[in-house]
Amino acid sequence: MSSDGNRKQFWKRNAAKVPGSIQHVYGAQHPPFDPLLHANLIKAGNKPPPATPGKPKKATTFQEFESITSDAWDVGDDDDELLAMAAQNLNIEVVMETANKVIENHSKQQERQRQDDPTESGQREEDAQEEVVAEEVEEEEEDEYLRVEEVDAISPDASFASQSSPYTDSRLVKSHSEAPIGSPKDAAGEHAGLHRQRSLPHRPPIIPLVARMADQNTSGTPAMTEREASRLDKFKQLLAGPNTDLEELRKLSWSGIPRQVRPIAWKLLSGYLPANAERRESVLQRKRQEYFGFIQQYYDSRNDEHHQDTYRQIHIDIPRMSPETLVLQPKVTEIFERILFIWAIRHPASGYVQGINDLVTPFFVVFVFEYIEEEVENFDVSSLQEEALRNIEADSFWCMSKLLDGIQDNYTFAQPGIQRKVKALEELVSRIDESVHRHMQQYEVEYLQFAFRWMNNLLMRELPLRCTIRLWDTYQAEPEGFSHFHLYVCAAFLVRWRKEILEERDFQGLMILLQNLPTMHWGNEEVSVLLAEAYRLKFAFADAPNHYKR
């Protein structure tokens, strides 16, 4: 984990790194929970969590700060000034007041939306201040494809479209706790599947094969909206220059990267490629040759006495990864085995640890997009040309290595980095939501029992792959995103389920919920709200350990 010079963060302490071997990780291999198969674990309510009002400040300061932070809450918005907020010397009370007001306004907007007529069909309202765009499909294809509407997640003045379908809702549901549920009398006559669906965030029951570029990251490319096309043009103009402004690229990437430019953007943001365009091709050739030099030098030793345990564990873990349709392809398994084995050989301080295997998948999937247009999960990777496969493999190795360089103490002996972060998470949650913290203490739930996997796998076991890729867009753009910002994402992720947590009344129920959170139908909107809340927490608590320590 990198440090900020002389200024130490609350979890950054010097710790000796002792060489170790393969470490079995608690809960690392459990797949994400499918809520449709475990409906009895899901409870929902009507009432959103109350917002805590802050102290009033000067109108000018508040309005200025509100205008800066508004883009943090706009889903998919092309707001370029989000990270500029961190550079402003603002009173922390103003920060909290603004964020609480935004959440409160969003909750009020949801309440108004619940009062709208749900049977209204085919009507679309347009607000002069907000752009609400829907993808229309042919009537004969309605049963096969779902309309995906893009809305501003938390804008007080937004007007939301309403649809008659019981499976979709144009508004964003911030939490399961806020999902509308009919009265017991009405619910008694509904089909069980519909009842289960309504207890979840309002996402399609089946992930569409064709969806928006900004929302579904493992699918094809549909027609873009004007705003999406404008964002793509900004990325292309920035990347076309002789020297890419990495700071500007980070600002653009924070709100998500278009699928078409994500491969090159990730390589630049991870530090794999130089900002100078003329040097990129030569760097790519050199690094790819270097990687396959490692293959020739080390890979034949995988069956040696000193390395056979490492290789065997890698071989066992890969089939447990997701998506299964991708990783179970023999060609993909072979590529992943080489990447993980070479990394373990070159990093003896940690070696291979369960959980590292998951970190290859997002890079591999994103870099495959350079060569295909269709959905990668159902694509036969072996049909690609050999040169393309070699390039994807080498690029995935180097980008994964760059990521792990910043969080390697998560995987050294006894995994001290993870233990420090889990302790920091516990302290942070105790201040931002004391009721959740005390509830888990009451039923003797230790944070290490569920949050260890969150830190070890970077929430990849808790979220669908498309959401992980969107999350990593921001992690790549955020300074120390994987090592620092991830802590606040985990805190926001835990508190998001506060109602469901408080409804559980025993240890077993809490553990089942926390290890199997129902996120299978999450998309871009939910991830964007999660990131916005995490940014608010970071702005309030980072570099202020006394702020949340009791």
Side-chain angles (χ1 to χ4, degrees), residues 264-506:
I264 181 67
W266 276 26
K267 291 172 187 177
L268 287 166
L269 292 172
S270 66
Y272 175 42
L273 284 185
N276 184 273
E278 294 181 354
R279 295 179 50 221
R280 289 174 193 167
E281 190 60 34
S282 61
V283 169
L284 278 176
Q285 292 180 2
R286 177 171 57 83
K287 299 298 284 185
R288 289 166 178 171
Q289 291 175 0
E290 185 178 355
Y291 169 72
F292 284 101
F294 295 151
I295 296 292
Q296 294 178 354
Q297 183 176 358
Y298 298 118
Y299 195 61
D300 288 340
S301 67
R302 62 188 182 279
N303 294 318
D304 292 352
E305 182 179 357
H306 294 91
H307 303 312
Q308 62 183 0
D309 288 344
T310 297
Y311 179 75
R312 181 167 57 249
Q313 188 62 52
I314 292 171
H315 187 74
I316 292 172
D317 288 345
I318 288 177
R320 301 171 179 172
M321 298 163 58
S322 62
E324 292 183 357
T325 54
L326 176 66
V327 299
L328 291 182
Q329 296 183 34
K331 193 67 177 179
V332 177
T333 299
E334 180 185 336
I335 290 172
F336 279 31
E337 286 178 354
R338 285 199 294 262
I339 290 174
L340 294 169
F341 182 78
I342 296 302
W343 189 89
I345 292 298
R346 298 189 70 246
H347 296 81
S350 63
Y352 172 74
V353 179
Q354 285 177 307
I356 294 178
N357 54 315
D358 281 326
L359 306 185
V360 183
T361 309
F363 291 114
F364 182 83
V365 170
V366 167
F367 296 151
V368 167
F369 284 154
E370 288 187 277
Y371 302 94
I372 68 172
E373 294 294 332
E374 60 263 46
E375 183 190 9
V376 70
E377 293 181 3
N378 296 326
F379 178 75
D380 182 6
V381 175
S382 62
S383 63
L384 288 172
Q385 295 182 359
E386 187 63 28
E387 182 181 359
L389 287 172
R390 288 171 62 88
N391 293 343
I392 292 168
E393 179 178 348
D395 295 347
S396 299
F397 170 82
W398 287 115
C399 288
M400 185 196 74
S401 298
K402 292 286 186 180
L403 185 161
L404 289 171
D405 285 347
I407 58 173
Q408 193 171 353
D409 62 345
N410 284 7
Y411 305 105
T412 53
F413 179 71
Q415 300 180 271
I418 291 180
Q419 298 197 45
R420 288 196 297 270
K421 290 173 186 174
V422 171
K423 181 61 177 176
L425 175 66
E426 181 177 359
E427 293 173 349
L428 184 57
V429 173
S430 70
R431 295 308 301 255
I432 64 177
D433 199 325
E434 186 175 4
S435 60
V436 168
H437 179 69
R438 290 189 178 276
H439 186 75
M440 289 196 290
Q441 282 186 328
Q442 178 183 352
Y443 294 102
E444 300 181 344
V445 174
E446 298 290 340
Y447 282 74
L448 200 63
Q449 293 169 327
F450 65 90
F452 188 96
R453 190 172 78 184
W454 296 9
M455 303 297 180
N456 187 70
N457 301 73
L458 298 178
L459 287 176
M460 283 195 61
R461 293 280 168 174
E462 323 309 319
L463 298 173
L465 178 60
R466 63 186 177 278
C467 295
T468 298
I469 292 175
R470 169 62 189 92
L471 190 69
W472 283 24
D473 286 345
T474 300
Y475 280 4
Q476 301 258 22
E478 182 75 19
E480 295 185 313
F482 294 97
S483 60
H484 181 186
F485 188 60
H486 180 67
L487 169 68
Y488 299 99
V489 172
C490 288
F493 186 65
L494 178 62
V495 174
R496 182 189 182 98
W497 310 98
R498 71 181 312 275
K499 182 172 180 63
E500 290 78 7
I501 290 172
L502 294 176
E503 286 177 347
E504 295 294 341
R505 297 297 178 180
D506 58 70

Side-chain angles (χ1 to χ4, degrees), residues 122-124 126 132-139 141-142 145-149 163 212 222-223 225:
Q123 299 298 322
R124 300 191 179 277
E126 293 185 359
V132 180
V133 182
E135 291 187 12
E136 297 184 356
V137 296
E138 299 295 334
E139 292 183 359
E141 296 177 343
E142 278 189 23
Y145 298 98
L146 296 172
R147 287 174 291 181
V148 180
E149 291 197 2
Q163 297 182 1
R212 284 193 189 282
T225 66

Side-chain angles (χ1 to χ4, degrees), residues 106-114 171-172 178:
H106 175 57
S107 299
K108 290 179 179 178
Q109 178 62 41
Q110 288 184 318
E111 185 64 28
R112 290 196 297 269
Q113 178 65 20
R114 281 198 292 271
R171 72 181 179 86
L172 168 65
E178 298 174 3

Side-chain angles (χ1 to χ4, degrees), residues 80-136:
D80 301 334
E81 297 84 10
L82 180 59
L83 296 180
M85 185 171 66
Q88 308 248 348
N89 294 324
L90 298 168
N91 189 299
I92 204 64
E93 295 181 356
V94 177
V95 179
M96 301 301 293
E97 176 187 9
T98 303
N100 287 325
K101 180 180 178 182
V102 173
I103 295 174
E104 182 179 2
N105 287 338
H106 175 57
S107 299
K108 290 179 179 178
Q109 178 62 41
Q110 288 184 318
E111 185 64 28
R112 290 196 297 269
Q113 178 65 20
R114 281 198 292 271
Q115 295 173 1
D116 291 343
D117 182 6
T119 62
E120 183 178 354
S121 175
Q123 299 298 322
R124 300 191 179 277
E125 298 177 357
E126 293 185 359
D127 193 300
Q129 301 177 1
E130 300 293 335
E131 179 184 9
V132 180
V133 182
E135 291 187 12
E136 297 184 356

